[in-house]
Every structure is written in structure tokens, then in C-alpha cells.
Amino acid sequence: MGLLTIGAFARASRLSPKALRLYDELGLLAPARVDPATGYRFYAPEQLERARLVAWLRRLGMPLARIKGVCALDAPVAAREIRAFWAQVEADTAARRDLASFLVDHLSRKDPAMSAVNEHLALRYAALSDRGLVRESNQDTVHAGSRLLAVADGCGSAGASASAAAIGALKHLEAGGLPGGDLLGILEDAVEQAARAVGAVAGPGAAPEEAGTTLTAMLWTGSQLALVHIGDCRVHLLRDGQLFQITHDHTVVQSMLDEGRITEAEAASHPQRSMLVRALGAGADGRPDMRLHDVRADDRYLLCSDGLSAVVTTDEIHRVLAAAAEPGQATRELVALANDSGGPDNVSCVVADVIPLPG
């Protein structure tokens, strides 16, 4: 079979002539021949397979630059790249789904005023932070109060100041009389204030590695806990004897896991397991995950830095949370477990129980 005109090739590949001209200009799908006199483009039949792949990848929503890279790969490698792309799409969709759920839940409530506290439930809480056995200083900061629970894990030469500044910027949320009806706005403002506070620690022109921090916080609204999460601190919920992790790490390794590039076993010893893809600091991606959690009496929440989760197994965390009589005992035992495992990092824990009030 001879060369196909651009019109015939467009019909066969299900790509429009306009798209074919664009892909030629981008070097994605060059014609086999261009008539020097008329400029007409002609395509070889064997180019149809690549053209159809391009068409399908565009239907997936893959950017043209990434499609160009995929088309240059051998089939097995291209398949892994497509799998990784779609895993990222699903992760992004999940994040938008969480935000949509947050908005629906928030807007559906008859009285969303944050000042209306449930008279029958309250928080009982404790916080503990420890330098560990290896680090020279403690760059973690924790806070536990009647409305605000928070953990921040600083990094860089001014990491301790950065984590303290981030949590310090949230402490006004402990005050009563917060504006009602705009919980999402309140949380967004709080994150922006924390980002500005961290920026002030770093100073103008500072490199990202000089002062940055993660931030994971929960705000008690009276009947719910509103979560803000940036980085790799974690929140666990113990409910009816079962333990659930309700945050998702913002790390390079977690992204690779999500995309199917590595296994859980490989992630545990990966050299980049602590490298963040989201944090507060100069030039960092500080977009938070946000969601609402309806609480129940006898729920127990754990907020912890990766100094705990990196060295203590989930089973051990579950055992301690299930057995400890009160939050202070749980924090002490969890920190001790991290140090018994070598204490390679600062370790911080906040444990909060949802308790029924008398009457």
C-alpha cells in the first residue's frame, strides 16, 4: 500500500487533520513525506499504530509532552508509564473527591457554626515529643488542646523554628467564637498563615532546604474533627477495636507506590523514603489535604511524626492504642517504642480520646 493523504490517514487513525498538523509541529507524529511544492502531508500505513496510540492516550487525558515520551518507549516500558500516569490520575481524583465530600458534608449541615459545641462529647488529650537517640536536636513541634491537635516535623537548618512557627500560627483556633459557616475558609486561612510564618523564619531568598516543615492538624468543631494535612506525619483512628490510617503521605516513595513503580517491601528501605513532595517552606508545594471526620464516643486519634511510623509497625501502634488506659500513657509508650527501635529520628505523638460528658 502506498502513502496515505492526510485526510485518508486522519480517517483511519481517528485523528483530525488539524490534530495531525499539530502533532507534526510538535515532533510527535511526523508525516512520512511532505510535498515540497504543495506542502501536502503524506503518511505511511505503518504509522497508523502510533497514531492510534496517540489518539487513545489523548482520550486518557495524557499531556502531549508525556505522550511523546511514551511513544518513544518499548512496549513493556510504555505500558508501565501508562500505568503510572493513570495511578496519578486516580490519586488526583481521590483528592478532589475528598474535597467534594468535605464541601457536601459542610454545606449540608443546618447549623455549621463552629461555636456550637456538642454538649455531650469532648476531647481528652496528651502530647509528647522526644529528640530520639540519634539527632542532636528536636525539630518536631506538637500541640494538644481542647480544640486543636497538631504535629509538625521541621526540616533544614531552621527546621525547629519552622515547625514551631507553623503550629504557632494555628493556635488562635483554640479560641472560642470562631466565625461560623465557613469552615473550609477558616482552614485555608490557617494554612496560609502557617505558610507565611514559615516563610518569615526562612527569610527572603532562602533555599527550600533551609527551613521547611510538614503540618498535620485536626480542629474540633463540636461534633467533628476537621483535618488539614501536608507532608508525611500521619493520623490514625482507633474505632471499635480497628485501626485506620486516615492520611496519605506526601512523599516521593508514596507517589512511586501509588503509581505501581515499587512494592511495599521496596518502599520500606528506599533511599528517598523521607523525601517530601509537599511541605511548607520556600518554593514548596503547600497544598493541604482537607477532610471532615464525624466522631463517635470512644474514638481514639493518634497524630504522629514519621519518627514513629518509620520504625514502629502498625501492629505495635495498634496494640498500644488499644491497651493504653489514657492518652498520656499511650504517648509515653509509643515514644518509648520508637526509641527502643533505635530512635533514629525525632518522635512526636498526640493522642486524643473522644469522651462522653456526664449528664
Side-chain angles (χ1 to χ4, degrees):
M1 182 186 294
L3 297 180
L4 302 173
T5 65
I6 189 171
F9 191 78
R11 289 189 295 273
S13 63
R14 295 183 176 86
L15 290 168
S16 69
K18 181 180 179 180
L20 288 172
R21 286 190 286 270
L22 172 63
Y23 299 162
D24 180 16
E25 293 170 5
L26 296 176
L28 178 60
L29 187 61
R33 177 175 173 270
V34 178
D35 187 286
T38 64
Y40 288 166
R41 293 171 171 84
F42 296 89
Y43 294 82
E46 54 266 27
Q47 290 182 282
L48 280 170
E49 183 176 357
R50 178 178 177 125
R52 288 167 179 156
L53 176 60
V54 171
W56 284 113
L57 292 176
R58 287 298 290 156
R59 289 183 66 178
L60 278 181
M62 185 178 286
L64 289 172
R66 191 161 183 175
I67 291 175
K68 186 176 180 179
V70 169
C71 289
L73 300 173
D74 293 335
V77 182
R80 289 197 295 272
E81 184 65 18
I82 294 168
R83 185 184 302 113
F85 168 76
W86 190 248
Q88 185 59 54
V89 170
E90 290 181 324
D92 293 342
T93 301
R96 291 195 296 272
R97 183 175 61 245
D98 287 342
L99 179 56
S101 297
F102 184 114
L103 290 169
V104 168
D105 193 20
H106 174 54
L107 295 173
S108 297
R109 294 184 175 272
K110 293 180 180 179
D111 182 10
M114 293 180 60
S115 57
V117 176
N118 189 314
E119 296 180 354
H120 304 293
L121 295 175
L123 295 180
R124 178 177 60 187
Y125 46 83
L128 184 61
S129 185
D130 189 83
R131 179 173 60 86
L133 304 181
V134 175
R135 297 294 178 89
E136 295 182 356
S137 62
N138 190 353
Q139 294 189 312
D140 288 358
T141 301
V142 296
H143 174 85
S146 60
R147 295 178 68 95
L148 179 68
L149 314 169
V151 175
D153 182 355
C155 55
S157 56
S161 297
S163 66
I167 288 185
L170 302 186
K171 286 185 177 178
H172 71 281
L173 297 174
E174 286 282 12
L178 292 172
D182 187 19
L183 179 57
L184 182 60
I186 291 167
L187 295 176
E188 283 192 319
D189 288 346
V191 172
E192 289 176 3
Q193 291 166 11
R196 288 194 294 270
V198 173
V201 168
E209 62 270 16
E210 292 181 28
T213 186
T214 68
L215 178 63
T216 299
M218 301 191 84
L219 178 64
W220 174 246
T221 71
S223 60
Q224 296 176 304
L225 280 167
L227 169 70
V228 172
H229 170 63
I230 307 165
D232 63 351
C233 290
R234 292 181 178 178
V235 179
H236 293 272
L237 166 62
L238 181 70
R239 173 176 287 175
D240 296 331
Q242 292 186 288
L243 188 66
F244 307 92
Q245 181 179 329
I246 60 176
T247 53
H248 194 71
D249 292 349
H250 299 146
T251 61
V252 170
V253 165
Q254 185 62 56
S255 297
M256 295 170 72
L257 269 171
D258 293 342
E259 295 173 359
R261 295 179 184 270
I262 59 174
T263 64
E264 290 280 357
E266 291 170 331
S269 59
H270 197 283
Q272 294 180 313
R273 59 187 178 276
S274 297
M275 185 174 293
L276 298 169
V277 294
R278 290 197 219 172
L280 294 178
D285 180 354
R287 292 173 300 143
D289 291 342
M290 293 191 292
R291 69 185 61 158
L292 286 172
H293 285 270
D294 287 314
V295 301
R296 298 180 189 172
D298 302 322
D299 280 351
R300 171 167 281 182
Y301 287 85
L302 165 68
L303 290 72
C304 66
S305 64
D306 68 333
L308 177 72
S309 56
V311 296
V312 178
T313 67
T314 303
D315 287 344
E316 282 291 281
I317 292 173
H318 188 181
R319 179 186 62 77
V320 170
L321 291 177
E326 47 84 25
Q329 178 186 349
T331 61
R332 292 189 296 272
E333 291 187 11
L334 289 169
V335 168
L337 277 176
N339 287 333
D340 289 345
S341 299
D345 197 358
N346 310 145
V347 56
S348 298
C349 300
V350 173
V351 174
D353 293 343
V354 180
I355 59 172
L357 295 176

